[in-house]
Amino acid sequence: MTSPSTTTERTGAGVALLSLLMAAILVTVTAGDMVNLMLPAIGAEFGATEAELAWVVTGFLLMFSVGIPLYGRVSDRVSLRRLFVFALLVYAAGSLVCALAPSLYVLVAGRIVTGIGAAAIPVLSIIAVTRLLPAERRGVGIGVVSAGAGIGTAAGPAVGGGVGQLLGWPALFWIMVVISLVLLPAALRVLPDEAPVGVGRIDVPGGILLGLGAGLVLFGMTQAQVSGFPAPSAWGSLLVAIVALVLFGWRTARVDQPFVPPSLFKNRVYRTSILVAFLAMIVNLGGLVFVSLLVVEVNGLTPGQGALVMIPAGIAVAALSPLIGRLADRVGARPLVLTGLTLIGLFSLFLSTFTGGSSPIPAGVGILGIGIGFILVMTTLIGAAAGELPGEQVGVGLGILQGVQFLGAGTGPAVFGVLVSARQQSGAAAVNPFYNGHEGAAYSDVFLAMAAVVVLTLIVASRMRPAAAPAIVTPAS
């Protein structure tokens, strides 16, 4: 087995590695919600209903949330180069299908294929940093990768709205095809081809049950957003998901080498990171989606103009993420996570209070603050979790962490979407007494609900302390 130092030196881990990882994660995460603002145009072209259009987003996110933990586990057996190249090729193929799609059903199929490829990139990027960079540079490396994910999340609506309005929605997918193919030679040159050794067999049935449970949770939540929780497709999917996850837990407790080692969750930092990542992502994605809708529906902007509102958040994330990774190594995870969550909560309240006028500036300020707070939280959490996990559990552990994160990405818009629909139908005034508008009252209530979720997350994150080292007893002389 190649030593880490040799692998790092031979593969040129450093600027070349981080450039590859940041570009790859940027392009794949951007794909997640770049079509959101173009859904009306797609629906008009194909004559699709709102429920049918939801599959353009759901199909991608479904494969994303299911695939991340699976790729994390497989990375313990297959080389990073082979997995990364496979992912880029599948991503390019799916994007090509989307660009040429003659019908909505072909477009959805292409998005599903795209999601299968894209799911590998976030988790493999973090694993590459932890395996190929020396310990003193991992904080910065994780910060750079997190910057790519943060920019991609914030840039999705911006790229989709701007490029889609200018060149049409198929151009979005042509761009993704070109970029993913350009990244292939770099992946072949930079990443090592050695597979990890000394790892037991993979529990395939356990992985299937976990993927089925995660996928059905996401599907049920998105169906609730479109049709409401009373719809059979919503509650039925959630019920089957619970059954699958219960069976997964039962199998985990009974096999010798389960898909997810139970010892992962004995560590308080990792256990807390899982829950905090899920809750923080619910708020972050909810903010990105509903600020995008707010500036179009309430402030009267076009999708292209609305995209400009999201750009400052992406720039801030790009600038701050590497610094956050370095800072986390110095001050520890807990203070930075609590600070980031506080920022998210305060700016959620800001959005709830000041977005009732005609100006989109408060919306831009609010999403900027949420973006800075979120990247502070996630960069720190990923670094803390990676530092806590033993080497043989890094792949599966980070896979579960990022899978939960993107499960939150699907859950947030669905839950808050139900709230927006209910509040718009009621026509009632905003709950926030300081909100000075009326047309956007439903959005004010959503941002207020996000702030409430952050309060819960702060309580959870306050327990994020490493276990105390055992005291050293000095014998009396």
Side-chain angles (χ1 to χ4, degrees):
M1 180 177 178
T2 307
S3 67
S5 59
T6 304
T7 300
T8 301
E9 181 180 357
R10 185 168 59 80
T11 57
V15 175
L17 173 66
L18 294 179
S19 298
L20 166 67
L21 299 180
M22 185 173 184
I25 198 170
L26 174 61
V27 70
T28 51
V29 173
T30 297
D33 53 4
M34 69 180 182
V35 297
N36 287 0
L37 293 178
M38 298 309 299
L39 288 178
I42 295 172
E45 180 173 336
F46 293 135
T49 65
E50 182 181 355
E52 292 170 335
L53 280 175
W55 272 102
V56 177
V57 177
T58 302
F60 180 91
L61 289 177
L62 192 64
M63 295 299 102
F64 213 76
S65 63
V66 171
I68 284 178
L70 296 178
Y71 279 114
R73 189 68 178 91
V74 172
S75 71
D76 291 330
R77 297 293 298 273
V78 181
S79 74
L80 286 172
R81 180 191 296 174
R82 295 185 184 185
L83 284 176
F84 217 89
V85 168
F86 170 80
L88 289 174
L89 288 173
V90 173
Y91 181 82
S95 298
L96 180 62
V97 171
C98 292
L100 299 173
S103 68
L104 181 68
Y105 298 108
V106 176
L107 176 60
V108 170
R111 288 284 283 174
I112 290 173
V113 174
T114 303
I116 293 173
I121 303 301
V123 64
L124 294 184
S125 297
I126 296 296
I127 291 171
V129 167
T130 59
R131 289 181 181 170
L132 301 180
L133 290 182
E136 65 272 13
R137 298 182 60 192
R138 286 174 190 164
V140 175
I142 290 173
V144 170
V145 172
S146 297
I151 296 170
T153 302
V159 171
V163 176
Q165 184 178 8
L166 182 65
L167 301 176
W169 63 264
L172 299 171
F173 298 105
W174 282 116
I175 292 172
M176 297 300 167
V177 171
V178 172
I179 295 177
S180 54
L181 292 179
V182 167
L183 291 175
L184 274 174
L188 289 169
R189 184 176 65 254
V190 172
L191 294 174
D193 196 30
E194 292 84 2
V197 296
V199 181
R201 63 181 180 84
I202 295 176
D203 176 25
V204 176
I208 293 174
L209 287 171
L210 177 61
L212 181 64
L216 287 175
V217 167
L218 179 59
F219 177 71
M221 296 305 295
T222 53
Q223 288 300 297
Q225 184 179 10
V226 174
S227 307
F229 281 102
S233 58
W235 65 261
S237 296
L238 294 173
L239 180 62
V240 177
I242 292 173
V243 173
L245 292 175
V246 169
L247 290 174
F248 168 74
W250 176 84
R251 180 171 178 82
T252 297
R254 283 163 174 76
V255 298
D256 293 333
Q257 297 179 1
F259 188 84
V260 178
S263 58
L264 273 176
F265 301 98
K266 294 180 180 179
N267 184 284
R268 177 186 289 184
V269 171
Y270 181 78
R271 196 169 60 238
T272 305
S273 297
I274 291 287
L275 188 51
V276 171
F278 177 72
L279 294 173
M281 193 64 170
I282 285 178
V283 175
N284 182 61
L285 246 293
L288 288 170
V289 169
F290 289 104
V291 165
S292 299
L293 294 174
L294 171 78
V295 296
V296 173
E297 295 184 3
V298 177
N299 301 134
L301 303 185
T302 65
Q305 292 169 335
L308 298 176
V309 175
M310 317 299 288
I311 290 177
I315 294 175
V317 166
L320 293 176
S321 291
L323 301 177
I324 293 170
R326 187 180 295 115
L327 185 61
D329 291 336
R330 297 179 180 178
V331 304
R334 186 171 177 270
L336 293 184
V337 170
L338 294 178
T339 300
L341 289 173
T342 301
L343 284 175
I344 296 173
L346 290 175
F347 280 96
S348 295
L349 284 175
F350 177 88
L351 287 170
S352 176
T353 304
F354 297 110
T355 52
S358 59
S359 172
I361 292 177
V365 172
I367 200 61
L368 171 64
I370 289 177
I372 292 173
F374 178 75
I375 204 63
L376 191 62
V377 171
M378 284 311 305
T379 300
T380 306
L381 282 181
I382 292 172
E388 290 285 331
L389 297 175
E392 67 274 9
Q393 293 183 350
V394 166
V396 63
L398 294 180
I400 295 297
L401 176 61
Q402 292 198 311
V404 166
Q405 178 186 343
F406 285 96
L407 194 60
T411 302
V415 171
F416 295 130
V418 172
L419 176 58
V420 165
S421 298
R423 297 295 288 139
Q424 287 175 336
Q425 290 174 7
S426 71
V431 174
N432 187 339
F434 300 104
Y435 181 72
N436 58 3
H438 176 72
E439 185 179 356
Y443 291 104
S444 174
D445 288 350
V446 162
F447 299 134
L448 189 61
M450 291 178 188
V453 173
V454 173
V455 172
L456 171 63
T457 312
L458 276 166
I459 295 173
V460 174
S462 66
R463 295 178 53 81
M464 190 178 176
R465 294 185 178 90
I472 300 176
V473 180
T474 303
S477 57

